[in-house]
């Protein structure tokens, strides 16, 4: 598949994290996306579009103009979300009204937003730079659009998550589903009703999450993702800083850390202003090659796992919850402490004989 869109190689790369732990507790890595959204709302009087787990148990892009609304966008959503048509129209209307707009989403979502905005501008005869913070805001006739694309592993369909939740908690009410966090539930599938945790199991023992991470249950197009490349479509790229400190031992003790690449001059301008306005945010320059050493999402798409075909064969007959447990039982067994201990001693005995 060929996608026509402007791509940018990283101009600067940083490791970043919010040292305000209460703010970043529900965030996936360093809390950069949420804190950047907060900056847009409070400092620029702007609007943020990002994916949230909504009150009706859906996962979709929302429009946030308050911190209360922005709060619902914290954390990774390891599921295919929706981008309602009316939100596209609202985003275009905000830009027409001269607002500073921040869009945070997967690269394919960013491509859609950029494409629709450019088509609208061309049709309307608008000219000039259309992204980044613009000087002389009172004089401009259109808003600024800054896009943040996420290092995306790929996503399963929403109906898989719905089936898993029904299997785990039945009809009990819940208000949030999380997969990452700085709250003791990192890389867990956890289900919440307010502040009450109804369920939390780590990835190596949780069939839905393990299957997603291993590439068993992703949308078919995710295995050929054209955006899994160092040339990014966003002004800023965010993700987990996997491999941080591998060469020099650098650590950010007690914090998950964001990978941040600034890909356009607009991204650099916004990031510099954002850092100045947020003294609790730590930003440390790092080499791009450090992150490129971990290939998925940034050098290549997630690979299709050999168990995917087994899962797809079982799915129509058993339904998601039973099919994924049957498919993943061997992988889950190999992740248990007892299996690893027995496997370790078996190797020792074989070497002795």
């Amino acid at each position: 598949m060929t996608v026509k869109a402007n791509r940018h190689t990283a101009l600067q790369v940083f490791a970043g994290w919010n040292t305000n732990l209460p703010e970043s507790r529900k965030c996936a890595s360093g809390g950069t996306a949420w804190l950047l959204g907060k900056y847009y709302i409070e400092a620029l009087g702007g609007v943020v579009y990002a994916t949230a787990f909504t009150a009706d148990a859906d996962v979709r892009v929302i429009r946030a103009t308050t911190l209360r609304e922005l709060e619902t966008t914290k954390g990774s959503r390891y599921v295919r979300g929706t981008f309602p048509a009316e939100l596209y129209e609202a985003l275009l209307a905000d830009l027409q009204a001269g607002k500073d707009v921040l869009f945070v989403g997967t690269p394919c979502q960013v491509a859609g937003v950029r494409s629709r905005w450019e088509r609208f501008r061309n049709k309307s005869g608008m000219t000039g730079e259309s992204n980044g913070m613009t000087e002389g805001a009172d004089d401009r006739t259109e808003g600024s659009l800054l896009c943040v694309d996420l290092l995306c592993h790929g996503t399963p369909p929403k109906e898989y998550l719905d089936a898993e939740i029904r299997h785990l908690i039945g009809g009990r009410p819940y208000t949030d589903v999380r997969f990452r966090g700085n709250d003791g539930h990192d890389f867990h599938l956890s289900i919440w009703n307010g502040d009450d945790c109804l369920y939390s199991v780590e990835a190596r023992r949780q069939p839905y999450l393990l299957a997603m991470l291993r590439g068993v249950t992703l949308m078919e197009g995710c295995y050929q993702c054209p955006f899994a490349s160092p040339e990014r479509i966003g002004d800023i790229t965010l993700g987990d800083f996997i491999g941080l400190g591998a060469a020099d031992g650098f650590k950010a003790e007690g914090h998950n850390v964001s990978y941040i690449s600034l890909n356009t001059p607009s991204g650099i301008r916004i990031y510099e202003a954002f850092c100045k306005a947020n003294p609790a945010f730590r930003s440390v320059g790092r080499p791009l090659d450090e992150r490129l050493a971990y290939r998925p999402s940034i050098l290549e798409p997630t690979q299709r796992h050999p168990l995917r075909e087994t899962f797809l064969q079982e799915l129509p007959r058993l339904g998601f919850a039973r099919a994924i447990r049957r498919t993943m039982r061997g992988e889950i067994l190999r992740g248990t402490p007892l299996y690893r201990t027995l496997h370790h001693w078996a190797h020792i005995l074989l070497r002795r004989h």
Side-chain angles (χ1 to χ4, degrees):
M1 179 172 66
T2 302
V3 176
K4 293 183 179 180
N6 292 330
R7 310 291 185 96
H8 313 278
T9 301
L11 301 174
Q12 298 177 21
V13 170
F14 295 90
W17 63 97
N18 186 2
T19 60
N20 184 334
L21 290 179
E23 280 190 338
S24 62
R25 186 174 65 88
K26 296 180 183 179
C27 296
S29 50
T32 308
W34 184 86
L35 204 56
L36 185 59
K38 180 183 179 185
Y39 170 74
Y40 256 75
I41 290 172
E42 290 190 332
L44 302 183
V47 183
V48 180
Y49 288 81
T51 299
F53 191 87
T54 62
D56 57 355
D58 196 10
V59 177
R60 61 175 178 263
V61 174
I62 67 164
R63 178 181 186 271
T65 58
T66 68
L67 296 189
R68 183 174 181 178
E69 292 167 335
L70 188 67
E71 184 75 13
T72 64
T73 69
K74 284 183 175 179
S76 293
R77 309 295 173 185
Y78 289 162
V79 65
R80 185 73 167 181
T82 59
F83 197 156
E86 61 268 24
L87 264 295
Y88 270 113
E89 299 306 318
L91 189 151
L92 294 177
D94 282 331
L95 289 169
Q96 285 180 269
K99 295 183 183 296
D100 289 304
V101 174
L102 172 67
F103 180 80
V104 181
T106 61
C108 53
Q109 289 177 329
V110 169
V113 167
R114 282 227 189 277
S115 176
R116 292 186 73 156
W117 177 227
E118 290 304 322
R119 285 202 306 270
F120 180 86
R121 295 178 76 248
N122 291 337
K123 186 177 179 180
S124 303
M126 295 177 176
T127 59
E129 186 180 9
S130 66
N131 64 325
M133 188 166 49
T134 306
E135 298 296 335
D138 292 339
D139 299 328
R140 58 181 161 168
T141 58
E142 63 175 279
S144 67
L145 172 65
L146 191 92
C147 290
V148 174
D149 74 88
L150 305 173
L151 291 179
C152 180
H153 181 87
T155 55
K158 177 63 161 51
E159 53 264 30
Y160 291 177
L161 180 59
D162 292 340
E164 181 71 0
I165 293 170
R166 286 195 302 270
H167 177 81
L168 295 173
I169 66 169
R172 283 187 288 170
Y174 63 99
T175 58
D176 198 7
V177 178
R178 305 178 200 160
F179 299 95
R180 302 292 311 284
N182 294 280
D183 59 353
H185 299 272
D186 197 25
F187 282 109
H188 284 217
L189 170 55
S190 61
I191 306 172
W192 300 76
N193 188 20
D195 292 329
D196 295 330
C197 184
L198 306 179
Y199 172 88
S200 180
V201 171
E202 61 184 337
R204 65 185 181 185
R205 296 189 296 114
Q206 213 298 312
Y208 176 94
L209 184 50
L210 183 62
M212 178 266 171
L213 293 172
R214 295 285 175 84
V216 176
T217 54
L218 306 183
M219 302 285 292
E220 191 61 36
C222 295
Y223 300 110
Q224 295 89 35
C225 177
F227 299 105
S229 164
E231 291 75 39
R232 308 302 299 179
I233 197 167
D235 300 289
I236 298 174
T237 298
L238 297 179
D240 287 323
F241 209 131
I242 301 172
L244 178 64
D248 61 6
F250 176 85
K251 292 183 180 179
E253 295 292 347
H255 298 275
N256 292 342
V257 180
S258 298
Y259 165 80
I260 305 162
S261 72
L262 310 181
N263 309 320
T264 66
S266 296
I268 292 174
R269 289 199 301 271
I270 287 286
Y271 188 73
E272 289 177 346
F274 156 76
C275 288
K276 289 179 182 178
N278 289 277
F281 184 77
R282 297 290 181 267
S283 179
V284 180
R286 303 299 297 179
L288 174 62
D289 288 348
E290 185 175 44
R291 182 59 181 82
L292 294 181
Y294 181 77
R295 299 180 63 86
S297 303
I298 195 168
L299 282 177
E300 63 189 22
T302 299
Q303 300 299 301
R304 183 188 286 101
H305 196 282
L307 288 174
R308 177 167 174 77
E309 296 308 316
T310 301
F311 165 68
L312 292 177
Q313 290 171 8
E314 299 282 14
L315 181 62
R317 185 170 64 89
L318 300 177
F320 177 81
R322 291 177 61 198
I324 201 61
R325 280 158 176 77
R326 178 167 294 190
T327 301
M328 300 301 294
R329 59 189 174 187
E331 296 293 302
I332 290 174
L333 175 63
R334 281 187 281 275
T336 61
L338 177 59
Y339 180 91
R340 293 199 302 272
T341 299
L342 292 174
H343 194 259
H344 170 74
W345 283 107
H347 271 282
I348 292 175
L349 291 172
L350 286 172
R351 284 200 300 270
R352 288 178 178 177
H353 294 284

